[in-house]
Amino acid sequence: MHAWILLLLSGSAGAASPALTVFPSGSSLVQNALRITIAFDEPQPSGRAADLVLEVNGKAIDSPFVSVPLWSPDQRRLTVLLHPGRQKQGLDARQRLGAILTEGAQARLLVGGTLAKQWTVAPADRRGPVLGDWEWQAPAPDSRDALVLRL
């Protein structure tokens, strides 16, 4: 079974598609993902994310996102939250409306009608962060080097 996830951000008719990066940036998206972030090269007009549509198997899903998109102050990063009540196990919204993502599905993100990212939906991650897996590298003393974290 294949399902396509489409996230469409409304834009001005005839406007060029902005350059962007989508996170998660890998080839898979876990089934219980809670957010998708889109980083634009240039600031975006206010209200750009007013028309979000999510489709699975060609059908629009009712209320897949939390209703308020989260823009960075510079209008270059947009984070949309997948409805946590439909992503987490045992909650009423998930039982009534169903899960948003299905393991094994092919997910596609379109921005302004243009394909921005494609994923395969991976099994849900129920493990959580494991601090022992994290690596860090301290900057040299008295330097302006960055602290490096690998999570």
Side-chain angles (χ1 to χ4, degrees):
M1 177 176 94
H2 295 288
W4 295 97
I5 307 289
L6 304 178
L7 172 65
L8 302 172
L9 296 172
S10 64
S12 303
S17 296
L20 52 87
T21 305
V22 177
F23 302 95
S25 59
S27 61
S28 63
L29 178 66
V30 294
Q31 182 181 2
N32 58 340
L34 291 175
R35 69 180 159 266
I36 296 171
T37 298
I38 305 161
F40 297 91
D41 284 353
E42 297 181 10
Q44 299 299 297
S46 296
R48 181 173 168 86
D51 185 19
L52 297 176
V53 176
L54 183 66
E55 293 182 356
V56 174
N57 290 335
K59 296 179 183 175
I61 297 176
D62 290 331
S63 305
F65 303 110
V66 173
S67 61
V68 179
L70 304 172
W71 280 99
S72 64
D74 66 1
Q75 296 291 108
R76 290 177 186 246
R77 287 179 80 87
L78 168 64
T79 299
V80 290
L81 303 176
L82 295 167
H83 192 301
R86 296 189 59 191
Q87 292 297 84
K88 296 181 178 188
Q89 290 182 319
L91 297 179
D92 183 57
R94 183 175 176 136
Q95 292 174 350
R96 282 185 299 107
L97 302 171
I100 296 170
L101 301 172
T102 304
E103 183 180 338
Q106 296 301 306
R108 294 182 352 143
L109 176 70
L110 286 88
V111 176
T114 302
L115 179 63
K117 184 70 184 161
Q118 183 168 316
W119 300 278
T120 298
V121 179
D125 179 1
R126 306 218 187 280
R127 175 174 86 117
V130 178
L131 297 179
D133 291 347
W134 295 12
E135 297 175 13
W136 64 282
Q137 180 182 353
D142 298 320
S143 75
R144 297 186 63 100
D145 295 340
L147 169 67
V148 177
L149 299 174
R150 290 180 189 87
L151 310 178

